[in-house]
Amino acid sequence: MPSAAEVKALYRALLKEGRKFPNYNIREYVKRKTKEDFRAHKAEADASVVEQLWTKAKSEYEIAKRQAVVYGMYARCQRSIMDVPLQAVLQEQASSGPYGGK
Amino acid sequence: MRLTAGSNCLQALGVQSAGLVRGFAEQGTFLDKKDVTDRVLSVVKNFDKVDPSKVTPTSHFQNDLGLDSLDTVEVVMAFEEEFAVEIPDSEADRILSTSDAIDYLASHPMAK
């Protein structure tokens, strides 16, 4: 059975792997799914269930690592609209719009 | 600084690649402690599960702010994003309060 420190380390590793996806949707999905799944079982006491979840989480970590590399290879240079901070868009519009600027 | 087309592309996408794009000439400088304190506190206050009025420069994440160990991991990840640093697991486990985070980040040469 994994120790609390090991579980935390895997949680961290999975979240870090999630950050590497260039595609907004997949990046957010990996982070959201990791958080939800770890939280759903945070009080799991049955050793055999924990062992099963631990094995599953480790294999999912391997998948995430591999897919982050693959998605990185075929990344588009165009950003998702969700990656552009709203503040920046509003400032841009304010300075270049018909009533903005000087 | 010389970059390949690939890393430019990743940068444009906002991918975390601090190690990839940092030049040799860039010397580490330490951030001002007051500035670090303000930014650390704003990161913690913006965390969903935290009551912003309870956050002080010495709050303990689990005892004072009611976060669990998974939340603590998430808060440390948020610090990494805010200050563009990689915090190794051994150090991350030792950041248990806002004061730990402030001390660590103020003494980190690459924090920005």
Side-chain angles (χ1 to χ4, degrees), chain A residues 70-89:
Chain A
V70 174
Y71 274 90
M73 284 172 185
Y74 299 101
R76 286 211 248 159
C77 280
Q78 194 181 9
R79 268 179 159 198
S80 160
I81 186 75
M82 299 300 287
D83 283 331
V84 183
L86 182 62
Q87 206 61 40
V89 177

Side-chain angles (χ1 to χ4, degrees), chain B residues 36-104:
Chain B
V36 173
T37 308
D38 290 345
R39 282 165 68 193
V40 163
L41 293 188
S42 79
V43 168
V44 178
K45 281 177 187 167
N46 282 329
F47 196 71
D48 296 341
K49 293 166 196 162
V50 167
D51 176 4
S53 62
K54 283 191 192 166
V55 180
T56 68
T58 53
S59 312
H60 191 280
F61 297 142
Q62 295 185 26
N63 301 342
D64 301 333
L65 302 176
L67 299 177
D68 62 17
S69 56
L70 293 180
D71 292 323
T72 308
V73 172
E74 286 168 37
V75 171
V76 173
M77 304 265 303
F79 292 142
E80 286 188 340
E81 277 167 29
E82 169 67 23
F83 290 90
V85 289
E86 283 278 322
I87 304 175
D89 279 359
S90 55
E91 297 292 338
D93 288 341
R94 271 188 263 156
I95 299 177
L96 297 170
S97 65
T98 47
S99 60
D100 293 341
I102 293 163
D103 290 343
Y104 179 77

Side-chain angles (χ1 to χ4, degrees), chain A residues 24-34:
Chain A
Y24 170 85
N25 289 318
I26 295 155
R27 185 168 68 239
E28 293 305 314
Y29 168 73
V30 172
K31 286 196 265 185
R32 193 169 64 237
K33 170 100 173 132
T34 304

